[in-house]
Amino acid sequence: QFDWMRRLLLMACDVCFEAPRTMAGATEDEPPVDDLARATWQLFDAIARATDNRSLHRAIEQANDRLSPVRRIGLGLVPDAADELSALIEHWKQGDEQALRSGLDAYHVRRAELVPRIVASLGERIGFPS
């Protein structure tokens, strides 16, 4: 799921950076970083909205919804998650395509590496022995 989201967001970057005019309205609602899972959802949604492509936006929205609970579980596993998200937001606001693409890629690779720990944490929460 992390890889799918990464691919969708990089595709969205391809589309929205082709026509920078669509990015102007996409940065008006800055996500609050006091709720990192929600702020991540909002950033990824803003990137999707900037494409003006309903199908791509819907695909990102669905992946975003599916990953939301996993993001909440994974928050404790990424000590610098707030800084990481703040950097992504800043790259987006500045229209720095290369830095955003690189940051999105690193974000998702890092999360994919955490999947075994996230699954173990989820198992503990629902009562499965590790």
Side-chain angles (χ1 to χ4, degrees), residues 56-122:
L56 183 54
H57 183 203
R58 184 69 182 135
I60 289 173
E61 186 177 54
Q62 289 173 341
N64 228 356
D65 288 345
R66 284 191 299 269
L67 283 170
S68 188
V70 175
R71 283 188 196 118
R72 292 204 182 280
I73 293 168
L75 284 176
L77 304 175
V78 182
D80 61 343
D83 293 336
E84 181 180 47
L85 181 59
S86 292
L88 289 173
I89 292 169
E90 193 58 31
H91 299 323
W92 173 246
K93 287 171 51 179
Q94 297 298 320
D96 187 341
E97 179 183 7
Q98 288 308 110
L100 180 63
R101 291 176 68 84
S102 176
L104 288 170
D105 194 48
Y107 172 96
H108 287 92
V109 166
R110 190 174 185 191
R111 295 317 183 276
E113 291 171 353
L114 291 174
V115 166
R117 292 177 59 198
I118 292 170
V119 170
S121 179
L122 180 59

Coordinates of all heavy atoms in Angstrom, one line a residue, residues 56-122:
L56 N -7.2 10.4 -10.7 CA -6.0 10.3 -9.9 C -6.3 10.8 -8.5 O -5.9 10.2 -7.5 CB -4.9 11.2 -10.5 CG -3.6 11.2 -9.8 CD1 -3.0 9.7 -9.6 CD2 -2.6 12.0 -10.6
H57 N -7.1 11.9 -8.3 CA -7.4 12.3 -7.0 C -8.2 11.3 -6.2 O -7.9 11.0 -5.1 CB -8.3 13.6 -7.1 CG -8.6 14.2 -5.8 ND1 -9.7 15.0 -5.6 CD2 -8.1 14.1 -4.6 CE1 -9.8 15.4 -4.3 NE2 -8.8 14.9 -3.7
R58 N -9.1 10.6 -6.9 CA -9.9 9.6 -6.2 C -9.0 8.4 -5.8 O -9.2 7.9 -4.7 CB -11.0 9.1 -7.1 CG -11.9 8.1 -6.5 CD -12.8 8.7 -5.4 NE -13.6 7.6 -4.8 CZ -13.8 7.5 -3.5 NH1 -13.3 8.3 -2.7 NH2 -14.5 6.5 -3.1
A59 N -8.1 8.0 -6.6 CA -7.2 6.9 -6.3 C -6.3 7.3 -5.1 O -6.1 6.5 -4.2 CB -6.3 6.5 -7.5
I60 N -5.8 8.5 -5.1 CA -5.0 9.0 -3.9 C -5.9 9.0 -2.7 O -5.5 8.7 -1.6 CB -4.3 10.3 -4.3 CG1 -3.2 10.0 -5.3 CG2 -3.7 11.0 -3.0 CD1 -2.5 11.3 -5.8
E61 N -7.1 9.5 -2.8 CA -8.0 9.6 -1.7 C -8.3 8.2 -1.1 O -8.2 8.1 0.1 CB -9.3 10.3 -2.1 CG -10.3 10.6 -1.0 CD -11.5 11.3 -1.5 OE1 -12.1 10.8 -2.5 OE2 -11.8 12.4 -1.0
Q62 N -8.5 7.3 -1.9 CA -8.8 5.9 -1.4 C -7.5 5.3 -0.7 O -7.7 4.7 0.3 CB -9.2 5.0 -2.6 CG -10.6 5.3 -3.1 CD -10.9 4.5 -4.4 OE1 -10.1 4.0 -5.1 NE2 -12.2 4.4 -4.6
A63 N -6.4 5.5 -1.3 CA -5.1 5.0 -0.7 C -4.9 5.7 0.6 O -4.5 5.1 1.6 CB -4.0 5.1 -1.7
N64 N -5.1 7.0 0.6 CA -5.0 7.9 1.8 C -5.9 7.3 2.9 O -5.4 7.2 4.0 CB -5.3 9.3 1.4 CG -4.3 10.3 1.9 OD1 -3.4 10.0 2.5 ND2 -4.6 11.6 1.5
D65 N -7.1 7.1 2.6 CA -8.0 6.5 3.6 C -7.6 5.2 4.1 O -7.7 4.9 5.4 CB -9.5 6.4 3.0 CG -10.1 7.8 2.8 OD1 -9.6 8.8 3.3 OD2 -11.1 7.8 2.1
R66 N -7.1 4.3 3.3 CA -6.7 3.0 3.7 C -5.4 3.1 4.6 O -5.3 2.3 5.5 CB -6.4 2.1 2.5 CG -7.7 1.5 1.9 CD -7.4 0.5 0.9 NE -6.6 0.9 -0.2 CZ -7.1 1.4 -1.4 NH1 -8.3 1.5 -1.6 NH2 -6.2 1.8 -2.3
L67 N -4.6 4.0 4.3 CA -3.3 4.1 5.0 C -3.4 5.0 6.3 O -2.6 4.9 7.2 CB -2.2 4.8 4.2 CG -1.6 3.8 3.2 CD1 -0.7 4.6 2.2 CD2 -0.8 2.7 3.9
S68 N -4.5 5.7 6.5 CA -4.7 6.5 7.6 C -4.5 5.8 9.0 O -3.8 6.3 9.8 CB -6.0 7.3 7.6 OG -6.1 8.2 8.6
P69 N -5.2 4.7 9.2 CA -5.0 4.0 10.5 C -3.6 3.4 10.6 O -3.0 3.4 11.7 CB -6.0 2.8 10.4 CG -6.8 3.0 9.2 CD -6.2 4.0 8.4
V70 N -3.0 3.1 9.5 CA -1.6 2.5 9.6 C -0.6 3.7 10.0 O 0.3 3.5 10.7 CB -1.2 1.9 8.2 CG1 0.2 1.5 8.2 CG2 -2.2 0.7 7.9
R71 N -0.9 4.9 9.4 CA -0.1 6.0 9.8 C -0.1 6.3 11.3 O 0.9 6.6 11.9 CB -0.6 7.3 9.0 CG -0.2 7.3 7.6 CD -0.5 8.7 7.0 NE -0.5 8.6 5.6 CZ -1.5 8.8 4.8 NH1 -2.7 9.1 5.3 NH2 -1.4 8.6 3.5
R72 N -1.3 6.2 11.9 CA -1.4 6.5 13.3 C -0.6 5.4 14.1 O 0.1 5.8 15.1 CB -2.9 6.4 13.7 CG -3.7 7.6 13.1 CD -4.9 7.9 13.9 NE -5.6 9.0 13.3 CZ -5.3 10.3 13.4 NH1 -4.2 10.6 14.1 NH2 -6.0 11.2 12.8
I73 N -0.6 4.2 13.7 CA 0.2 3.2 14.4 C 1.7 3.4 14.2 O 2.4 3.3 15.2 CB -0.2 1.8 13.9 CG1 -1.6 1.4 14.3 CG2 0.8 0.7 14.4 CD1 -2.2 0.2 13.6
G74 N 2.0 3.8 13.0 CA 3.5 4.0 12.7 C 4.1 5.3 13.3 O 5.3 5.4 13.3
L75 N 3.3 6.2 13.8 CA 3.8 7.5 14.3 C 4.9 7.3 15.3 O 5.9 8.0 15.4 CB 2.7 8.4 14.8 CG 1.8 9.1 13.8 CD1 0.7 9.8 14.4 CD2 2.7 10.0 12.9
G76 N 4.6 6.4 16.3 CA 5.6 6.1 17.3 C 6.9 5.5 16.9 O 7.9 5.5 17.6
L77 N 6.9 5.0 15.6 CA 8.1 4.3 15.1 C 9.0 5.3 14.3 O 10.1 4.9 14.0 CB 7.6 3.2 14.2 CG 6.7 2.1 14.9 CD1 6.3 1.1 13.9 CD2 7.4 1.5 16.1
V78 N 8.5 6.5 14.1 CA 9.3 7.5 13.4 C 9.6 8.7 14.2 O 8.7 9.6 14.3 CB 8.6 7.9 12.0 CG1 9.5 8.8 11.2 CG2 8.3 6.6 11.2
P79 N 10.7 8.8 14.9 CA 10.9 9.8 15.9 C 10.9 11.2 15.3 O 10.5 12.2 16.0 CB 12.3 9.5 16.5 CG 12.9 8.4 15.7 CD 11.8 7.8 14.9
D80 N 11.3 11.4 14.1 CA 11.4 12.7 13.5 C 10.2 12.9 12.4 O 10.4 13.7 11.5 CB 12.7 13.0 12.8 CG 13.0 12.0 11.7 OD1 12.4 10.9 11.6 OD2 13.9 12.2 10.9
A81 N 9.1 12.3 12.7 CA 8.0 12.3 11.7 C 7.5 13.8 11.5 O 7.2 14.2 10.4 CB 6.9 11.4 12.2
A82 N 7.4 14.6 12.5 CA 6.9 15.9 12.4 C 7.9 16.8 11.5 O 7.4 17.5 10.7 CB 6.8 16.6 13.8
D83 N 9.2 16.6 11.7 CA 10.1 17.3 10.9 C 10.1 16.9 9.4 O 10.1 17.7 8.5 CB 11.6 17.1 11.4 CG 11.8 17.8 12.8 OD1 11.1 18.7 13.1 OD2 12.7 17.3 13.5
E84 N 9.9 15.6 9.3 CA 9.8 15.0 7.9 C 8.6 15.6 7.2 O 8.7 16.0 6.0 CB 9.7 13.5 8.1 CG 9.7 12.7 6.8 CD 9.5 11.2 7.0 OE1 8.7 10.8 7.8 OE2 10.3 10.5 6.3
L85 N 7.5 15.6 7.9 CA 6.2 16.1 7.3 C 6.4 17.6 7.0 O 6.0 18.1 6.0 CB 5.0 15.8 8.1 CG 3.7 16.3 7.6 CD1 3.4 15.7 6.2 CD2 2.6 16.0 8.5
S86 N 6.9 18.4 8.0 CA 7.1 19.8 7.8 C 8.0 20.1 6.5 O 7.7 21.0 5.8 CB 7.8 20.4 9.0 OG 6.9 20.4 10.1
A87 N 9.0 19.3 6.3 CA 9.8 19.5 5.1 C 9.0 19.2 3.9 O 9.2 20.0 2.9 CB 11.0 18.6 5.2
L88 N 8.2 18.1 3.9 CA 7.4 17.9 2.7 C 6.4 19.0 2.4 O 6.3 19.4 1.2 CB 6.6 16.6 2.9 CG 7.4 15.3 2.8 CD1 6.5 14.1 3.2 CD2 8.0 15.1 1.5
I89 N 5.8 19.5 3.5 CA 4.9 20.6 3.3 C 5.6 21.9 2.7 O 5.1 22.5 1.8 CB 4.2 21.0 4.6 CG1 3.2 19.9 5.0 CG2 3.4 22.3 4.5 CD1 2.7 20.0 6.5
E90 N 6.8 22.1 3.2 CA 7.6 23.3 2.8 C 7.9 23.1 1.3 O 7.9 24.0 0.5 CB 8.8 23.5 3.6 CG 9.5 24.8 3.4 CD 8.6 26.0 3.7 OE1 7.7 26.0 4.5 OE2 8.8 27.0 3.0
H91 N 8.4 21.9 0.9 CA 8.7 21.6 -0.5 C 7.5 21.9 -1.4 O 7.6 22.5 -2.5 CB 9.2 20.2 -0.7 CG 10.5 19.9 0.1 ND1 11.5 20.8 0.2 CD2 10.8 18.7 0.7 CE1 12.5 20.2 0.9 NE2 12.1 18.9 1.2
W92 N 6.3 21.4 -0.9 CA 5.1 21.6 -1.7 C 4.8 23.1 -1.8 O 4.5 23.6 -2.9 CB 4.0 20.8 -1.0 CG 2.6 21.1 -1.6 CD1 1.6 21.7 -1.0 CD2 2.2 20.8 -2.9 NE1 0.5 21.8 -1.9 CE2 0.9 21.2 -3.0 CE3 2.8 20.1 -4.0 CZ2 0.1 21.0 -4.2 CZ3 2.1 20.0 -5.2 CH2 0.7 20.4 -5.2
K93 N 4.8 23.8 -0.7 CA 4.5 25.2 -0.7 C 5.4 26.0 -1.6 O 5.0 27.0 -2.3 CB 4.5 25.8 0.7 CG 3.3 25.4 1.5 CD 3.5 25.7 3.0 CE 3.8 27.2 3.2 NZ 3.9 27.5 4.7
Q94 N 6.7 25.7 -1.6 CA 7.7 26.4 -2.4 C 7.7 25.9 -3.9 O 8.3 26.5 -4.7 CB 9.1 26.1 -1.8 CG 9.3 26.7 -0.4 CD 9.1 28.2 -0.4 OE1 9.5 28.9 -1.3 NE2 8.4 28.7 0.7
G95 N 6.9 24.9 -4.2 CA 6.9 24.4 -5.6 C 8.2 23.7 -6.0 O 8.6 23.8 -7.1
D96 N 9.0 23.2 -5.0 CA 10.3 22.6 -5.3 C 10.0 21.1 -5.7 O 10.0 20.2 -4.8 CB 11.2 22.7 -4.0 CG 12.6 22.2 -4.3 OD1 12.8 21.5 -5.3 OD2 13.4 22.6 -3.5
E97 N 9.8 20.9 -6.9 CA 9.5 19.6 -7.4 C 10.5 18.5 -7.1 O 10.1 17.4 -6.6 CB 9.3 19.6 -8.9 CG 8.9 18.2 -9.5 CD 8.8 18.2 -11.0 OE1 9.1 19.2 -11.7 OE2 8.3 17.2 -11.5
Q98 N 11.7 18.8 -7.3 CA 12.8 17.7 -7.1 C 12.8 17.4 -5.6 O 12.9 16.2 -5.2 CB 14.1 18.2 -7.6 CG 14.2 18.2 -9.1 CD 13.8 16.8 -9.7 OE1 12.8 16.7 -10.3 NE2 14.6 15.8 -9.5
A99 N 12.8 18.4 -4.7 CA 12.9 18.1 -3.3 C 11.6 17.4 -2.8 O 11.7 16.5 -2.0 CB 13.0 19.4 -2.5
L100 N 10.5 17.8 -3.3 CA 9.2 17.1 -3.0 C 9.2 15.6 -3.4 O 8.9 14.7 -2.6 CB 8.0 17.8 -3.6 CG 6.6 17.2 -3.2 CD1 6.4 17.2 -1.7 CD2 5.5 17.9 -4.0
R101 N 9.6 15.4 -4.7 CA 9.6 14.0 -5.2 C 10.6 13.2 -4.4 O 10.3 12.0 -4.0 CB 10.0 14.0 -6.7 CG 9.0 14.6 -7.6 CD 9.5 14.7 -9.0 NE 9.6 13.4 -9.6 CZ 8.6 12.7 -10.1 NH1 7.4 13.2 -10.2 NH2 8.8 11.5 -10.6
S102 N 11.8 13.7 -4.1 CA 12.8 13.0 -3.3 C 12.2 12.7 -1.9 O 12.4 11.6 -1.4 CB 14.1 13.8 -3.3 OG 15.0 13.2 -2.4
G103 N 11.6 13.7 -1.3 CA 11.1 13.6 0.1 C 9.9 12.6 0.1 O 9.8 11.8 1.0
L104 N 9.0 12.6 -0.9 CA 7.9 11.6 -0.9 C 8.5 10.2 -1.1 O 8.0 9.3 -0.5 CB 7.0 12.0 -2.1 CG 6.1 13.2 -1.9 CD1 5.4 13.6 -3.2 CD2 5.1 13.0 -0.7
D105 N 9.5 10.1 -2.0 CA 10.1 8.8 -2.2 C 10.7 8.3 -0.9 O 10.4 7.1 -0.5 CB 11.1 8.9 -3.3 CG 11.5 7.5 -3.8 OD1 10.7 6.7 -4.1 OD2 12.8 7.3 -3.9
A106 N 11.5 9.1 -0.2 CA 12.1 8.7 1.0 C 11.1 8.4 2.1 O 11.2 7.4 2.9 CB 13.1 9.8 1.5
Y107 N 10.1 9.2 2.2 CA 9.0 9.0 3.2 C 8.4 7.6 3.0 O 8.2 6.8 4.0 CB 7.9 10.1 3.0 CG 6.7 9.8 3.8 CD1 6.5 10.4 5.0 CD2 5.6 9.0 3.3 CE1 5.3 10.2 5.8 CE2 4.5 8.8 4.1 CZ 4.3 9.4 5.3 OH 3.2 9.2 6.0
H108 N 8.0 7.2 1.8 CA 7.4 6.0 1.5 C 8.3 4.8 1.7 O 7.9 3.7 2.1 CB 6.6 6.0 0.2 CG 5.4 6.8 0.3 ND1 5.4 8.2 0.0 CD2 4.2 6.6 0.7 CE1 4.2 8.7 0.2 NE2 3.4 7.7 0.6
V109 N 9.5 4.9 1.2 CA 10.5 3.8 1.4 C 10.7 3.5 2.9 O 10.7 2.4 3.3 CB 11.8 4.2 0.7 CG1 13.0 3.2 1.1 CG2 11.7 4.1 -0.8
R110 N 10.8 4.6 3.7 CA 11.0 4.5 5.1 C 9.8 3.8 5.7 O 10.0 2.9 6.6 CB 11.2 5.9 5.7 CG 11.6 5.9 7.1 CD 11.9 7.4 7.5 NE 12.4 7.4 8.8 CZ 12.6 8.6 9.5 NH1 12.2 9.7 8.9 NH2 13.0 8.6 10.7
R111 N 8.6 4.2 5.3 CA 7.4 3.5 5.9 C 7.3 2.1 5.5 O 6.9 1.2 6.3 CB 6.1 4.3 5.5 CG 6.0 5.7 6.0 CD 6.3 5.9 7.4 NE 6.1 7.2 8.0 CZ 7.0 8.2 7.9 NH1 8.1 8.1 7.2 NH2 6.7 9.3 8.5
A112 N 7.7 1.8 4.2 CA 7.6 0.4 3.8 C 8.6 -0.5 4.6 O 8.3 -1.7 4.9 CB 8.0 0.3 2.3
E113 N 9.7 0.1 5.0 CA 10.7 -0.7 5.8 C 10.1 -0.9 7.2 O 10.5 -1.9 7.9 CB 12.0 0.1 5.9 CG 12.8 0.1 4.6 CD 14.0 1.0 4.6 OE1 14.1 1.8 5.6 OE2 14.7 1.0 3.6
L114 N 9.2 -0.1 7.7 CA 8.6 -0.3 9.0 C 7.4 -1.2 9.0 O 6.9 -1.5 10.1 CB 8.1 1.1 9.5 CG 9.2 2.1 9.9 CD1 8.6 3.4 10.2 CD2 10.1 1.6 11.0
V115 N 7.0 -1.7 7.9 CA 5.8 -2.6 7.8 C 5.8 -3.7 8.8 O 4.8 -3.9 9.6 CB 5.5 -3.0 6.4 CG1 4.5 -4.2 6.4 CG2 5.0 -1.9 5.6
P116 N 6.9 -4.5 8.9 CA 6.9 -5.6 9.9 C 6.6 -5.1 11.4 O 5.9 -5.7 12.1 CB 8.3 -6.2 9.8 CG 8.7 -5.8 8.4 CD 8.1 -4.5 8.1
R117 N 7.2 -3.9 11.7 CA 7.0 -3.4 13.1 C 5.6 -2.9 13.2 O 5.0 -3.0 14.3 CB 8.1 -2.3 13.4 CG 9.5 -2.9 13.5 CD 10.5 -1.9 13.7 NE 10.3 -1.1 14.9 CZ 10.9 0.1 15.1 NH1 11.7 0.6 14.2 NH2 10.6 0.8 16.2
I118 N 5.1 -2.3 12.2 CA 3.7 -1.8 12.2 C 2.7 -2.9 12.4 O 1.8 -2.9 13.2 CB 3.3 -0.9 11.0 CG1 4.1 0.4 11.0 CG2 1.8 -0.7 10.9 CD1 4.1 1.1 9.7
V119 N 2.9 -4.0 11.7 CA 2.1 -5.2 11.8 C 2.2 -5.8 13.2 O 1.2 -6.2 13.8 CB 2.4 -6.2 10.7 CG1 1.7 -7.6 10.9 CG2 2.1 -5.7 9.3
A120 N 3.4 -5.9 13.7 CA 3.6 -6.4 15.0 C 2.9 -5.5 16.1 O 2.2 -6.0 17.0 CB 5.1 -6.5 15.4
S121 N 3.0 -4.2 15.9 CA 2.3 -3.3 16.8 C 0.8 -3.5 16.7 O 0.1 -3.5 17.7 CB 2.7 -1.9 16.5 OG 2.0 -1.0 17.3
L122 N 0.3 -3.6 15.5 CA -1.2 -3.8 15.3 C -1.6 -5.1 16.0 O -2.6 -5.2 16.6 CB -1.5 -3.8 13.8 CG -2.9 -4.0 13.4 CD1 -3.8 -2.9 14.1 CD2 -3.1 -4.0 11.9

